[in-house]
Amino acid sequence: MSQDVSFLRLCQIVRTKNSVGDPLIPISKSSWWAGMRSGRFPAPVKLGPRTTAWRSSDIADLLKKLG
């Protein structure tokens, strides 16, 4: 039984110079990284040497928690 996992890049979550459209969470990327280091936001998954992403399920859980 395989489980489908999808990922979101930072530009899809918060406002960055590469963002297209409205971010899911309207904060800067530096605020996002600070929140991640403090444990407020979920940890990323390294998909490659220069590719960092977050599980979409973790972001959905965070959005529910933030209300």
Side-chain angles (χ1 to χ4, degrees), residues 32-67:
W32 174 261
W33 286 108
M36 190 201 63
R37 281 190 298 274
S38 72
R40 183 173 178 208
F41 301 141
V45 176
K46 290 293 284 183
L47 300 178
R50 296 182 63 188
T51 306
T52 302
W54 286 260
R55 288 180 190 85
S56 58
S57 59
D58 291 345
I59 301 303
D61 291 344
L62 174 63
L63 291 171
K64 286 178 190 174
K65 178 181 162 186
L66 295 175

Side-chain angles (χ1 to χ4, degrees), residues 14-45:
V14 301
R15 188 176 322 274
T16 68
K17 66 179 180 175
N18 297 328
S19 294
V20 176
D22 293 331
L24 294 174
I25 302 172
I27 61 172
S28 68
K29 69 179 186 176
S30 59
S31 294
W32 174 261
W33 286 108
M36 190 201 63
R37 281 190 298 274
S38 72
R40 183 173 178 208
F41 301 141
V45 176

